[in-house]
Amino acid sequence: MGQQEKVATSLAGAVSEGISASLTAVDAELARRYPGDPGTRQPVHTVYVPGDTFTAGTIRSWGDQALRALDEHAPDAASLAAVLGIPAELAGPVHDRVRAKLSREPVEDLRVDFEDGYGPRSDAEEDEAAARAARLISEAYANGTAAPYMGIRMKCMEAAVRDRGIRTTDVFLTGLMEAGGLPDGLVLTLPKVTYPEQVTAFVQLLEAFEEAHGLPSGRLGFEIQIETSQSILAADGTAAVARMIDAAQGRATGLHYGTFDYSACVGVSAAYQASDHPAADHAKAVMQVAAAGTGVRVCDGSTNVLPVGPTPQVHEAWRLHYGLTRRALARAYYQGWDMHPGHLPTRYAAVYTFYREGLEQAAARLAAYVAKAGGDVMDEPATAKALSGYLLRGIDCGALDTAEVARLTGLTRADLDAFASPRRGGLTVTAPQH
């Protein structure tokens, strides 16, 4: 042991106390606005089904149609890999997992649509469809056939359809309550939000419903769809989407990018409306920065190129969808829209390839960080958080197995959760001791 160092200070304890007192309000504001990721599962996609076509068999039907498409157009691992450019060493595991996923859980998040996909109907017809959606979703959760997340997209808060959107929301939520209560996986989507005041109005609606049924305040959350230029840049030059998150008062769970409405809003020609257009990249980058640290997740949009027709045409659509999905994942948009059953094989192929190709490197880096072993990359706590989040998302969607991650990292699921959300509960988590 070397010589013990003499420790001396110059400042009285009152200095530190005074600084802390001056920052009390800032500390509280940071905790309120930026609680961090909720640590819950994020679905890899959202499937939208019109309110008049949604049935008890919709989810299984999508899975069966996706399996038939896979069998017809890419019946084995080698053919799927050849179409999409999946590395040979991953072809078998990815193909097998895609098939298993389509058989077991083809849809992770389903939204019964009462907006663009449903259109204007008579009040009686929409009332009936909203009540039916509530009954079918309640039954699905009761009998184990539900997707992990399910809900509705109502009409927006613009004057022309506001009353109808409010009524549909009321009919749907009341139907769920009468059928036994709100399911844990319930999700509501508010479309075409232009002003933060529309978010405030929706919060008022949900508060009124909670009060009417004796529910805890804040029980109902919702997603905000970003489909207008004004939601990205307000008239005063501010980022309106950040103000929308604040207006939601902690109820916002996601920001969903609307590819075609937003593109049309900024004047992009129909032939060039896509999620990789520069206008789309700008909007999503603003959304991403506004949502960072708030616990609100960002979701990419969709492609309207459907994988239908002869095999060469299906393969072309698959390559487009696979490429857009991989591009989104690299940009940290871990969720997107799927509009057709034929998109499911390439959604899962892209997601599974993304996580499996990076598994060993991510696991090795995280294990080295925990062991303080060093290596050719110097990782910090923030990187350990990102590595853990990557592995957890892979496990949640079925790309990775908990056992293989534990074998490669030496960490349990609880360890990964602690690294991914290091300040949950006000605690700073350090490397677990083994």
Side-chain angles (χ1 to χ4, degrees), residues 269-280:
S269 299
Y272 298 97
Q273 293 178 353
S275 62
D276 60 351
H277 189 280

Side-chain angles (χ1 to χ4, degrees), residues 288 300 322-334 350 354-355 357 390:
Q288 190 174 51
D300 198 4
Y322 179 87
L324 290 173
T325 303
R326 287 300 310 264
R327 184 180 189 274
L329 290 168
R331 286 158 174 76
Y333 308 131
Y334 299 113
F354 176 75
Y355 289 114
E357 71 185 7
Y390 173 87

Side-chain angles (χ1 to χ4, degrees), residues 292-317:
T294 65
V296 178
R297 286 151 167 178
V298 176
C299 176
D300 198 4
S302 62
T303 175
N304 59 0
V305 179
L306 304 184
V308 296
T311 294
Q313 186 173 320
V314 170
H315 284 179
E316 184 175 355

Side-chain angles (χ1 to χ4, degrees), residues 14-253:
V15 174
S16 178
E17 293 170 3
I19 291 173
S20 292
S22 72
L23 291 174
T24 298
V26 171
D27 293 340
E29 185 74 349
L30 280 170
R32 182 184 74 83
R33 289 183 181 274
Y34 303 105
D37 189 85
T40 54
R41 176 181 178 180
Q42 180 180 9
V44 302
H45 69 172
T46 300
V47 164
Y48 282 79
V49 179
D52 57 333
T53 63
F54 174 62
T55 70
T58 292
I59 292 175
R60 187 61 265 152
S61 174
W62 272 58
D64 291 343
Q65 291 180 67
L67 282 168
R68 286 196 296 272
L70 195 60
D71 288 340
E72 180 178 356
H73 304 293
D76 53 43
S79 57
L80 184 65
V83 173
L84 303 179
I86 298 172
E89 66 274 14
L90 296 179
V94 167
H95 188 269
D96 290 347
R97 286 173 185 268
V98 169
R99 287 198 61 86
K101 180 74 167 181
L102 296 176
S103 299
R104 181 187 75 254
E105 187 185 74
V107 174
E108 292 196 355
D109 183 27
L110 184 142
R111 209 71 70 250
V112 183
D113 190 18
F114 289 95
E115 205 234 353
D116 284 350
Y118 184 72
R121 308 291 178 99
S122 70
D123 284 340
E125 185 177 0
E126 186 158 340
D127 282 350
E128 172 72 16
R132 183 177 65 251
R135 175 178 60 82
L136 293 175
I137 288 175
S138 292
E139 291 174 354
Y141 277 107
N143 63 29
T145 61
Y149 300 93
M150 298 184 75
I152 65 167
R153 176 171 71 172
M154 65 291 298
K155 290 177 173 63
C156 69
M157 281 290 174
E158 293 178 356
V161 294
R162 182 184 304 139
D163 289 345
R164 183 62 257 181
I166 291 172
R167 181 172 175 83
T168 297
T169 304
D170 187 10
V171 170
F172 175 71
L173 293 177
T174 300
L176 291 178
M177 293 299 296
E178 292 183 349
L182 305 179
D184 290 339
L186 175 65
V187 187
L188 304 174
T189 305
L190 180 64
K192 293 184 176 60
V193 181
T194 303
Y195 284 83
E197 289 82 1
Q198 293 168 330
V199 174
T200 300
F202 198 64
V203 169
Q204 292 172 349
L205 170 63
L206 299 183
E207 285 176 341
F209 188 88
E210 290 166 348
E211 184 176 351
H213 288 273
L215 296 170
S217 178
R219 168 63 181 87
L220 289 163
F222 60 98
E223 302 164 336
I224 301 170
Q225 277 203 277
I226 304 302
E227 302 177 89
T228 67
S229 61
Q230 296 89 346
S231 60
I232 295 299
L233 189 68
D236 62 1
T238 61
V241 63
R243 292 162 53 206
M244 290 173 183
I245 292 173
D246 191 52
Q249 300 178 33
R251 294 176 185 264
T253 59

